Amino acid sequence: MQEMDVSVWRGDANGGGLEHFKVPARDSQTILDVVAWIQQHADPTLSYRYACRVGMCGSCAMMVNGVPRWTCRTHVKTVLKDNAITIAPLRNLPVIKDLAADMDPFFDKWVAAGGVHHPTRTRDEPIEILDPKTPERVETDTGIECINCSVCYAACDTVSNNVDFLGPAALQRAWTLYLDPKDADPNAILDAVSGKGGCHNCHSQGSCTLHCPNGLNPMKAIAGLKRATVSSFFKGGR
Amino acid sequence: MLGLKLYMAQRLSAMVMIPLTLGHIAVMIYAIQGGLSAAEILGRTKGSVLWFLYYGLFVLSVSLHASIGLRVIVHETLGLKGRALEIFMWLSGLLLLAMGLRALVAVTL
């Protein structure tokens, strides 16, 4: 049976390095299959995170040959180079152990970006009916399929160089909430994305959009937030 | 690191600089067509309120725009932050302003 050379980053918050494994090649093999094989057959102490295995939960993102990817939906044959693969924990996040990155900073920034819904009604009132054809709703639809995998956050050079930057996913969430007629406080969202780590720090390099496994466009969402804050600036809002 | 106010200051100063830069280049090309010397050009700019306002606005915009741009570059590439970053931005802006005003005074007063 043919074997691949797989280099896996091992270590923790204090540092680490690559360990090498020989993994049997199989048909329709994903990167997550490779990691699981190593943990089940070569080294049971290997730590990594996954849940659904079908590209829905956003748990299994890792750096594959230096590129952030959802490993459960990444076929080995699309990334194998000279019969070798390098797998590492997500960039721009602290490491817990081996391939498991600490997602806390990523989710903390979702909240910091105003990503908490501000309701217009209580649970006792009927649900507000929305027209799916309004321009706001059509725009919102392009941003709500985020699975929180942090691939965009790992891809973003602005996050690397500016620790306060809220990042593409959190800002995209803020943009969809800002457009939502069921959100009672759009100005709170504009305030949240106008601070020192806000949308204005984005350089529009577009790595988020390039690498998003769901084909979303956080760069466009951030541009929308920039427009909305600029327009509120001219109206004397902030 | 870059809030809405600094972002707006940088964008608005850029919008001011675009026509001023084009005007500056256009006048330069036009002025030297007939072989004007530096002394002849200075003869026209000295004492001119119009050129004083034109290049005065230019100098102000450049100082504002460049110091905010340098702030971003220095923060992202060298990691300068907090009070040190504020001081760097203000000092670079004031330095550009002082140098620009010195040239402005020499050419138009």
Side-chain angles (χ1 to χ4, degrees):
Chain A
M1 184 183 293
Q2 200 190 343
E3 290 185 324
M4 302 175 288
D5 296 315
V6 181
S7 304
V8 177
W9 195 91
R10 306 295 304 273
D12 56 25
N14 299 317
L18 291 174
E19 261 182 39
H20 305 284
F21 298 92
K22 292 278 186 193
V23 178
R26 300 196 197 284
D27 286 340
S28 303
Q29 194 175 20
T30 66
I31 297 297
L32 187 62
D33 291 335
V34 168
V35 174
W37 189 93
I38 293 171
Q39 200 256 345
Q40 287 165 14
H41 299 282
D43 186 347
T45 67
L46 176 66
S47 298
Y48 63 105
R49 186 190 291 117
Y50 79 99
C52 76
R53 298 173 296 154
V54 290
M56 289 175 67
C57 74
S59 306
C60 69
M62 299 168 199
M63 303 301 288
V64 181
N65 291 343
V67 175
R69 291 180 178 277
W70 52 356
T71 57
C72 69
R73 298 286 300 271
T74 301
H75 277 267
V76 166
K77 63 172 186 252
T78 61
V79 292
L80 194 66
K81 208 171 178 183
D82 299 328
N83 201 40
I85 312 166
T86 302
I87 307 170
L90 276 179
R91 179 176 173 241
N92 293 339
L93 289 165
V95 176
I96 298 172
K97 182 174 173 287
D98 300 339
L99 300 171
D102 181 357
M103 304 285 278
D104 277 357
F106 176 71
F107 289 117
D108 287 345
K109 287 179 178 179
W110 276 60
V111 179
V116 178
H117 180 55
H118 315 92
T120 49
R121 299 186 181 185
T122 68
R123 64 178 69 235
D124 302 318
E125 290 166 277
I127 293 172
E128 189 176 343
I129 304 298
L130 296 182
D131 177 1
K133 292 196 178 68
T134 62
E136 291 78 14
R137 190 61 223 176
V138 171
E139 169 67 17
T140 304
D141 282 344
T142 66
I144 54 173
E145 297 295 339
C146 176
I147 56 170
N148 314 356
C149 65
S150 198
V151 160
C152 59
Y153 192 82
C156 178
D157 284 345
T158 308
V159 170
S160 302
N161 298 324
N162 178 357
V163 289
D164 295 322
F165 182 48
L166 295 168
L171 289 169
Q172 178 167 256
R173 161 75 176 165
W175 173 236
T176 58
L177 270 188
Y178 173 75
L179 293 172
D180 188 350
K182 287 198 282 190
D183 194 284
D185 201 355
N187 283 330
I189 296 168
L190 291 189
D191 282 340
V193 301
S194 296
K196 63 177 183 173
C199 62
H200 308 100
N201 293 280
C202 167
H203 293 296
S204 308
Q205 287 177 314
S207 299
C208 50
T209 302
L210 182 70
H211 294 288
C212 175
N214 265 352
L216 307 186
N217 191 346
M219 184 171 66
K220 180 170 68 100
I222 295 172
L225 285 174
K226 285 178 178 171
R227 279 198 304 278
T229 50
V230 166
S231 131
S232 88
F233 177 87
F234 284 122
K235 287 174 189 154
R238 59 211 73 241
Chain B
M1 186 269 305
L2 196 65
L4 179 60
K5 288 197 172 72
L6 287 177
Y7 175 85
M8 289 308 299
Q10 200 182 24
R11 265 57 187 180
L12 292 174
S13 57
M15 287 168 72
V16 170
M17 282 194 297
I18 291 168
L20 293 179
T21 308
L22 293 176
H24 173 74
I25 294 170
V27 171
M28 271 203 321
I29 293 170
Y30 169 75
I32 59 159
Q33 293 300 312
L36 272 184
S37 68
E40 285 168 320
I41 291 173
L42 280 177
R44 295 174 194 208
T45 56
K46 275 194 175 290
S48 163
V49 176
L50 192 69
W51 286 122
F52 177 82
L53 292 176
Y54 188 98
Y55 283 106
L57 188 60
F58 213 154
V59 165
L60 277 177
S61 308
V62 167
S63 310
L64 202 60
H65 188 83
S67 56
I68 299 170
L70 287 171
R71 170 195 177 92
V72 173
I73 294 168
V74 162
H75 175 71
E76 292 194 2
T77 55
L78 304 177
L80 200 66
K81 56 189 173 187
R83 184 179 291 254
L85 187 63
E86 300 296 331
I87 292 171
F88 172 83
M89 179 183 70
W90 280 97
L91 279 185
S92 57
L94 289 172
L95 179 68
L96 286 168
L97 188 65
M99 293 190 332
L101 289 179
R102 184 167 168 265
L104 179 71
V105 166
V107 172
T108 60
L109 288 188

